[in-house]
């Protein structure tokens, strides 16, 4: 594996191998000394043109725990703010002898484009509304840890489908692992053509959140991405919450064993109530913890694993 640009790049077996390594890496998190020599002498640059808390810091921790040298560059504070082109920025960083580039960019396709400019391995850490593959891997890893094999498990993905790169990556990943997926959103937050997409990729679509909830093993709430919205996608935040928020009242509709996920960052009180985010069945902090292990696994397979760079 040379790059990780899309979940579509991974077979079921490759996802399984990434999870196996992630489980070993997860054990490192509970050690007193959290350091493996695996990537000693390797350099990883986190190149972030969009804000991030979880992804950037967990890639940084993952790289450091594997003994790589990790450098963070963000658009604010780099020469991109002086008008340097993306290509020039990337070629400049690559010319310093970098082995891995972890890239977040507001343009869909940016990670693929960058991978065509450089010899380094490129990881897509979120490109526009396209994909966020490591988020989907850590979500599936977390769900599998709690629910076991995901084949036949029913996952509802709820909220702002239109602007979500997490949705696309999760749909591909969960379907590859054999899960049943239902996406739930108001008509204004569903992509046009979603019916054809659903038919082609084998997932279901719904409008009525209350009808879906009693039949799921997991509910994944998506953030309402107000920074990407230029118009009125719903009349008021209150109306959105009434129709599509995971409220305290809706918790009662979930089966007893069902779990709650959110990729973060959350709009508490909008798409998810504090009672749901902080519930015993919420896996939100487990997702964050798994994020480090899964990203260690990805860096390992790209930069040190058997067949890396091939
Ligand atoms: N889930 C996610 O990508 O969060 P950040 O934007 O904080 O990285």
């Amino acid at each position: 594996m040379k790059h990780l640009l899309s979940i579509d790049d991974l077979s079921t077996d490759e996802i399984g191998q990434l999870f196996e390594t992630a489980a070993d890496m997860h054990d490192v998190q509970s050690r007193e000394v959290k350091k493996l020599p695996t990537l000693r002498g390797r350099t990883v640059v986190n190149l972030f043109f969009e804000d991030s808390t979880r992804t950037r810091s967990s890639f940084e921790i993952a790289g450091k725990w594997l003994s790589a040298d990790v450098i963070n560059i963000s658009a604010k504070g780099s020469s991109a703010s002086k008008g340097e082109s993306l290509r020039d920025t990337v070629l400049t960083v690559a010319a310093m002898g970098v082995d891995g580039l972890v890239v977040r960019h507001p343009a869909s396709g940016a990670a693929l484009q960058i991978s065509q400019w450089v010899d380094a391995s490129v990881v897509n850490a979120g490109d526009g509304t396209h994909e966020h593959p490591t988020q989907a891997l850590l979500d599936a890893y977390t769900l599998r840890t709690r629910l076991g094999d995901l084949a036949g498990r029913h996952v509802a993905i709820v909220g702002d489908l239109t602007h979500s790169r997490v949705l696309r990556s999760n749909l591909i990943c969960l379907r590859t692992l054999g899960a049943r997926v239902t996406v739930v959103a108001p008509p204004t937050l569903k992509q046009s053509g979603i019916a054809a997409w659903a038919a082609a990729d084998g997932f279901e679509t719904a409008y009525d959140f209350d009808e879906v909830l009693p039949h799921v093993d997991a509910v994944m709430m998506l953030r309402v991405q107000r920074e990407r919205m230029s118009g009125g996608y719903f009349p008021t935040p209150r109306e959105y919450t009434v129709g599509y928020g995971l409220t305290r009242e809706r918790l009662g509709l979930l089966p007893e064993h069902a779990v709650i996920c959110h990729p973060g960052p959350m709009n508490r009180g909008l798409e998810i109530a504090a009672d749901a985010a902080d519930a015993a069945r919420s896996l939100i902090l487990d997702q964050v913890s798994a994020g480090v292990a899964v990203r260690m696994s990805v860096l390992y397979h790209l930069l040190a694993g058997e067949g890396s760079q091939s």
Side-chain angles (χ1 to χ4, degrees), residues 51-56 104 125 132 135 165-166 263-265 295:
D51 294 342
S52 167
T53 296
R54 279 147 282 270
T55 312
R56 189 172 61 182
R104 171 168 289 191
H132 192 352
Q135 180 69 47
R165 53 195 175 209
V166 172
R295 286 169 178 136

Side-chain angles (χ1 to χ4, degrees), residues 72-85:
N72 292 307
I73 299 175
S74 51
K76 290 171 214 155
S78 78
S79 291
S81 65
K82 299 178 194 167
E84 186 171 64
S85 71

